[in-house]
Amino acid sequence: GLDFAYVRKAIDSAEYQQSIIDAITRPAESKPWHEYRKIFIRETRIDGGVEFWRANQALFERVASEFQVPAEFIVAIVGVETNYGLNTGSYRVLDALVTLGFYYPRRSAFFSRELAEFFQLSREESLPLEEVKGSYAGAMGLGQFIPSSYRAYAVDFDDSGSRDLWRSLPDALGSVANYLKVHGWNDRLPTVLPVSTVPD
């Protein structure tokens, strides 16, 4: 349903970014837990989370009540993904998705689909296609939603008529909670289970 000339012009305007290829070939998420943990479990990150939670306590309570997802998990996800909104990404999403869709064969099918989703999202939410910024993988907003997740799980929690995961904190937090709820979050189940190893 998109105009061919418009799509072609947008793709032609995208810029290949070698730094995106470099980043995806050595993602932090591939580190073992003892190394990955050090990135996030730090006093500054914890203090920032407490401050963020306190500053938006009423909103967190409303989101938690609506989606049945405790506030601490929403805080933690936003803290890990964007340091409570301080770093939502500096790459043009169009550049990221074209670079990965056309120049990263290992996952080109996935990122090509996300590029198509981004075109649809841009039209649905009136996002300026060539200006939207995100991560090196094309993830957007405080919760770092890829285009297909944005389209499927983002919510208009401030009733503004659009789903804005950058400037609307209600939309951003509500969308993280909705993502968890849709994927089967059950507030009555434990989030951590004790385990012990038994020698052979």
Side-chain angles (χ1 to χ4, degrees):
L2 294 167
D3 178 71
F4 177 82
Y6 167 73
V7 172
R8 181 62 184 265
K9 182 181 177 185
I11 290 175
D12 284 347
S13 75
E15 296 179 14
Y16 170 83
Q17 302 280 348
Q18 181 60 43
S19 58
I20 289 172
I21 300 295
D22 295 341
I24 203 160
T25 55
R26 48 175 172 71
E29 294 84 359
S30 66
K31 293 179 184 292
W33 171 241
H34 69 275
E35 292 180 23
Y36 191 66
R37 182 182 193 276
K38 290 184 276 189
I39 300 171
F40 301 107
I41 312 298
R42 293 190 280 190
E43 288 301 317
T44 53
R45 189 76 63 131
I46 294 167
D47 292 344
V50 171
E51 184 180 332
F52 182 66
W53 192 347
R54 286 179 178 158
N56 301 287
Q57 188 169 358
L59 173 59
F60 274 112
E61 288 172 3
R62 193 161 66 89
V63 170
S65 174
E66 174 76 21
F67 297 98
Q68 295 300 297
V69 177
E72 57 265 33
F73 299 104
I74 304 167
V75 173
I77 288 170
V78 173
V80 166
E81 294 295 343
T82 61
N83 197 11
Y84 315 108
L86 296 176
N87 180 16
T88 57
S90 58
Y91 289 101
R92 284 197 323 164
V93 171
L94 183 64
D95 292 343
L97 296 176
V98 167
T99 296
L100 295 169
F102 293 107
Y103 302 100
Y104 188 59
R106 215 174 115 213
R107 299 195 63 201
S108 63
F110 172 81
F111 286 108
S112 294
R113 285 193 302 273
E114 289 303 318
L115 178 60
E117 293 276 355
F118 183 52
F119 275 101
Q120 298 288 358
L121 176 67
S122 171
R123 183 169 64 176
E124 292 164 358
E125 299 295 335
S126 300
L127 295 175
L129 189 77
E130 295 175 358
E131 297 174 25
V132 176
K133 298 281 184 74
S135 75
Y136 69 81
M140 298 169 279
L142 272 74
Q144 292 292 277
F145 281 39
I146 57 174
S148 59
S149 292
Y150 198 132
R151 294 186 70 209
Y153 310 115
V155 295
D156 177 17
F157 202 62
D158 63 5
D159 295 321
S160 67
S162 67
R163 302 174 297 172
D164 185 340
L165 302 188
W166 292 270
R167 295 177 297 273
S168 170
L169 199 54
D171 288 3
L173 301 182
S175 296
V176 169
N178 186 55
Y179 182 94
L180 293 173
K181 180 181 178 180
V182 171
H183 285 87
W185 183 275
N186 185 337
D187 198 27
R188 293 182 300 279
L189 294 177
T191 54
V192 177
L193 295 172
V195 284
S196 60
T197 57
V198 179
D200 291 338

